[in-house]
Amino acid sequence: MPFFNTQIKFASDIVAANISILVILIAAVIYISLAKKWKMTWSLIRTMDHRKIGILYIAWGFIFFLRAGLDAMLMRTQLAFPNFHFWVFQGDKYDQVMTTHGTLMIFFVAMPFLIGLMNIAVPLQIGAREIAFPFFNSLSMWLFVIGGLLINMSFVMGGAPSTGWTSYVPLAVDKDIVGNGTAFYDMGVQVSGIGTIMTSINMITTILKHRAPGMGFMKIPLFTWSALITSILILFAFPVLSAALLILLFDNQFGTQIFSGEHGNPVLWQHLFWAFGHPEVYIVILPAFGVFSQVISTFASKRIFGYSSMVLSMLVIGFLSFMVWIHHMFTVGLGAFANVVFAITSMLIAVPTGIKIFNWLFTIRGGSVRFTTAMLYSLAFIPSFVIGGVTGVMQAVVPADYQYHDSYFVVAHLHYVMVGGTVFGAFSGFYYWWPKMFGYILNDKIGKWQAWTFIIGFHMTFLPMHLSGLQGMPRRTFTYLPEDGLFEFNFISTMGAYLMAISVLLFIWNVFYSYQKKSRRGVADPWDGRTMEWAVSSPSSHMRWPYLPVVRDLENLWYAKEHGNGTLPFSKKEEKRIVVEKPTIIPLLLSGGFFTISFGLIFAVPLITITGFAGTLLLMAWRSITYERSIDLYTSEQLEEAIRREEA
């Protein structure tokens, strides 16, 4: 079927995808109607509450997680047997699924999971009433959603991107190969990236300017430290990606030749992409480090070992993360000097990470350890991430990297870092802060079944990939020959992937089961917490603390428990002007403007693009004109009464 500048081909997989989307949308409408949730839904999409926005980040991230996981299952099924032809997922279809899987997992799963947890926990940990810029926070979240929807729509609207999550040129600008796929990738990641940059500014401002009285830098909890350092990395790394994507858009849509053609240089794209790409690895792992630090300290019933060295090691990791990108390009031919310098920095970055590993182990040593589901994920992370780190150092050895490069050994290393670090951290954070999000605890017995199946399935899936890579299996390939000797490794990996899929279904079941059986008794501080988020009600009320808490110690709540009755001391200062932003639909409408602009650029329809720009500018002007009407002002006494009514 002709569709603007492309054609939609109704192959069996496209038809199945369209039917699935339609069924899911109808089911969602029926559920919301029968459960009488339309009022709640309207309230949720207009919210300025950092907790609810964090929940939306995680919910949308989980939806994209299911889509990316389905892509992974399709790939693993195709690779289960040599010379196998599963459905239509060979050749270009396999490339599309592989690219979408990687892009979604990096930009639209790992990022929202951790940004969602940052939204929920950081303001509570530092004694802030709200994120510094609530409107920006909501807009950032909706821009992320629009970016993710653009990537997901591509599959049923003329073809998904098919050049890998790195989108290397000149392949990415070859219209005969990629169609509109690169344009979908370009605009989806670009729009989401704008929201992510706004989030980083929001987090930095919140942590630097909205800490409770008495909270110096060395009294900031480690999860908040990780959020601060991550936000600084985002602020420096994502503009590089945005610039690269803008140039790629011009090459792809307007025929410039900056990355390709007679006068272009495709290596420039690699430099720009990996100058962003390697800090991105630490952008999605540092918040997980913060989660593990909070969880291990809480469930070992001990103050974190070597707090100062933990902070310093995160700062060093953040600094060095911008000095290692060439190790992705050792085989490009940049010369011995460049390779040696970046090999050394790539090895150096393992040192601060090793310090953190030993600090976590020393925190556990001698502690009174409680093996909850959150703690189980934290303990499983340590050996898993060590494996990922060691294989990373192996690739920093330049001659060896010539053998590992573009093999399944690299795929295994990447997933041991991303899944064994980031996803384990996200699940640990979900189980740990779930009471603070929703006011009930996830069932620990089901949680442990879910954790063990996920951990075992993870190692079954990715450990054999080291061996298949060493045996010569190239990445991004959809088949192999029987005589290659790769069947056993791939079959075990496929079985592990299915076990991980079962684990994800167990998590969904746990959410529904625990919701039905929920008890609200003891959920304010179910883990005997040590930091200030456990001093407020669960779920946390919006704009809590009419009088700000006073911080006396790194573990302020634990200090209050040991030296008093467990109640935080509060400032007696009566504030006369506390600003609370009203709920508004404008962030969603603005993100719709960005969607319209993107749609017009992807399908080369200038009128749609201009309409999107005009609508976006008008909404920005309307927001500026009506700002005074979009806020409420409270005194401390009035806010205290409003919180009392909300909690009642």
Side-chain angles (χ1 to χ4, degrees):
M1 183 181 75
F3 190 77
F4 295 108
N5 66 344
T6 188
Q7 289 186 338
I8 297 176
K9 298 177 181 178
F10 290 99
S12 59
D13 57 317
I14 303 297
V15 173
N18 285 325
I19 292 173
S20 300
I21 292 168
L22 189 61
V23 168
I24 291 169
L25 288 175
I26 292 172
V29 171
I30 291 173
Y31 170 77
I32 294 171
S33 300
L34 293 178
K36 299 179 179 179
K37 299 286 187 182
W38 284 111
K39 185 177 180 180
M40 186 199 75
T41 303
W42 176 243
S43 172
L44 200 58
I45 64 177
R46 296 164 60 244
T47 187
M48 296 286 116
D49 184 348
H50 70 91
R51 176 182 66 87
K52 293 178 181 178
I53 289 172
I55 290 170
L56 286 171
Y57 263 117
I58 292 168
W60 279 103
F62 197 80
I63 291 169
F64 297 144
F65 181 55
L66 294 178
R67 163 66 203 277
L70 176 62
D71 289 340
M73 299 307 299
L74 294 172
M75 287 190 291
R76 286 313 324 162
T77 303
Q78 168 61 29
L79 290 168
F81 304 99
N83 281 337
F84 191 45
H85 281 71
F86 170 68
W87 201 355
V88 296
F89 296 103
Q90 302 85 39
D92 186 57
K93 285 288 185 182
Y94 182 91
D95 292 341
Q96 290 184 30
V97 168
M98 175 265 298
T99 301
T100 307
H101 167 78
T103 304
L104 287 176
M105 283 295 191
I106 297 291
F107 294 106
F108 301 99
V109 176
M111 295 287 291
F113 276 178
L114 297 171
I115 289 175
L117 291 175
M118 287 157 60
N119 262 278
I120 290 159
V122 165
L124 297 173
Q125 287 194 336
I126 64 173
R129 295 189 179 99
E130 184 46 277
I131 290 286
F133 309 114
F135 181 88
F136 265 20
N137 199 27
S138 178
L139 178 58
S140 299
M141 187 275 298
W142 286 114
L143 288 176
F144 145 74
V145 173
I146 291 300
L149 290 177
L150 284 169
I151 297 293
N152 280 276
M153 286 169 50
S154 62
F155 187 70
V156 296
M157 297 190 72
S162 59
T163 55
W165 79 276
T166 56
S167 197
Y168 274 6
V169 291
L171 189 63
V173 294
D174 189 332
K175 284 282 191 178
D176 293 332
I177 298 174
V178 300
N180 283 336
T182 297
F184 272 108
Y185 171 93
D186 197 322
M187 297 310 303
V189 176
Q190 184 76 279
V191 169
S192 177
I194 293 169
T196 304
I197 293 169
M198 292 164 59
T199 296
S200 72
I201 296 169
N202 222 340
M203 281 290 166
I204 292 168
T205 308
T206 302
I207 296 168
L208 294 184
K209 302 295 290 183
H210 290 252
R211 301 193 307 280
M215 180 174 279
F217 279 104
M218 297 313 286
K219 291 181 183 176
I220 295 177
L222 284 174
F223 179 71
T224 300
W225 261 116
S226 72
L228 175 61
I229 297 168
T230 296
S231 299
I232 294 170
L233 295 187
I234 290 171
L235 195 58
F236 282 96
F238 264 80
V240 179
L241 177 65
S242 295
L245 289 170
L246 184 63
I247 298 171
L248 182 62
L249 175 71
F250 273 79
D251 271 14
N252 191 45
Q253 299 294 86
F254 304 115
T256 59
Q257 296 186 359
I258 299 170
F259 291 142
S260 61
E262 183 180 353
H263 304 290
N265 184 358
V267 176
L268 177 59
W269 166 263
Q270 293 192 37
H271 278 296
L272 291 174
F273 184 87
W274 289 117
F276 147 81
H278 207 82
E280 167 69 2
V281 173
Y282 295 98
I283 285 168
V284 297
I285 199 62
L286 283 176
F289 286 173
V291 171
F292 296 130
S293 296
Q294 301 294 154
V295 169
I296 289 172
S297 176
T298 299
F299 293 114
S301 303
K302 281 179 64 180
R303 182 183 289 254
I304 196 77
F305 182 88
Y307 169 83
S308 299
S309 63
M310 293 289 267
V311 173
L312 181 61
S313 64
M314 282 195 287
L315 289 168
V316 173
I317 288 170
F319 175 73
L320 289 177
S321 69
F322 287 96
M323 303 172 66
V324 297
W325 82 88
I326 294 296
H327 73 214
H328 295 276
M329 302 168 61
F330 281 157
T331 60
V332 167
L334 298 177
F337 180 77
N339 285 357
V340 168
V341 169
F342 283 89
I344 292 170
T345 57
S346 300
M347 295 177 188
L348 281 176
I349 204 167
V351 175
T353 308
I355 290 171
K356 300 181 75 64
I357 295 289
F358 281 108
N359 282 5
W360 287 318
L361 292 174
F362 282 125
T363 302
I364 295 167
R365 181 179 181 271
S368 179
V369 180
R370 290 170 286 161
F371 291 97
T372 62
T373 307
M375 187 63 165
L376 187 58
Y377 269 113
S378 298
L379 295 175
F381 150 78
I382 294 175
S384 303
F385 195 77
V386 167
I387 293 172
V390 168
T391 54
V393 173
M394 290 171 66
Q395 291 172 72
V397 180
V398 178
D401 185 70
Y402 271 75
Q403 302 303 314
Y404 305 139
H405 189 76
D406 272 348
S407 76
Y408 257 76
F409 189 90
V410 177
V411 177
H413 159 71
L414 173 67
H415 285 84
Y416 262 86
V417 172
M418 290 296 183
V419 181
T422 302
V423 178
F424 280 21
F427 273 122
S428 183
F430 295 162
Y431 281 99
Y432 182 61
W433 280 306
W434 199 267
K436 206 52 60 182
M437 290 188 264
F438 297 104
Y440 66 95
I441 302 169
L442 290 174
N443 183 278
D444 199 51
K445 185 175 181 180
I446 301 175
K448 286 177 179 175
W449 275 99
Q450 187 267 326
W452 278 117
T453 50
F454 195 86
I455 293 163
I456 294 170
F458 161 73
H459 286 288
M460 280 181 63
T461 303
F462 299 110
L463 194 60
M465 290 184 185
H466 294 97
L467 302 176
S468 59
L470 291 175
Q471 197 149 321
M473 183 172 179
R475 65 192 302 189
R476 308 186 186 100
T477 185
F478 67 88
T479 192
Y480 53 94
L481 299 174
E483 55 266 29
D484 291 337
L486 299 169
F487 163 66
E488 293 82 0
F489 302 134
N490 278 286
F491 186 78
I492 294 170
S493 290
T494 299
M495 293 302 101
Y498 276 98
L499 187 57
M500 292 174 75
I502 292 170
S503 174
V504 173
L505 295 178
L506 278 174
F507 179 78
I508 296 171
W509 167 248
N510 196 358
V511 171
F512 283 102
Y513 177 86
S514 302
Y515 177 77
Q516 296 297 326
K517 303 288 184 180
K518 65 183 175 184
S519 170
R520 296 193 180 275
R521 286 183 294 179
V523 295
D525 184 16
W527 317 125
D528 196 16
R530 307 174 77 86
T531 45
M532 285 196 294
E533 71 266 34
W534 302 110
V536 299
S537 61
S538 293
S540 61
S541 59
H542 188 211
M543 300 298 292
R544 77 248 118 225
W545 293 323
Y547 300 92
L548 293 175
V550 176
V551 178
R552 296 175 177 174
D553 188 73
L554 166 64
E555 296 179 332
N556 204 37
L557 178 59
W558 192 254
Y559 182 90
K561 290 176 180 178
E562 286 193 322
H563 297 85
N565 61 359
T567 303
L568 294 177
F570 290 91
S571 169
K572 296 180 181 179
K573 179 183 177 182
E574 174 78 21
E575 296 183 60
K576 301 298 184 183
R577 192 177 189 275
I578 300 172
V579 179
V580 179
E581 293 217 28
K582 297 177 183 177
T584 176
I585 197 68
I586 293 179
L588 178 59
L589 297 178
L590 275 171
S591 66
F594 277 88
F595 177 85
T596 306
I597 294 167
S598 302
F599 191 93
L601 288 171
I602 290 167
F603 292 104
V605 186
L607 181 61
I608 295 177
T609 304
I610 293 168
T611 303
F613 269 114
T616 301
L617 291 173
L618 285 173
L619 284 167
M620 288 178 177
W622 179 253
R623 163 69 180 174
S624 299
I625 294 167
T626 61
Y627 173 73
E628 294 295 333
R629 299 202 297 269
S630 69
I631 60 173
D632 285 325
L633 297 177
Y634 292 87
T635 64
S636 294
E637 186 177 339
Q638 290 169 338
L639 183 59
E640 189 172 27
E641 178 60 29
I643 292 170
R644 192 179 295 116
R645 288 197 305 269
E646 181 183 343
E647 292 184 344

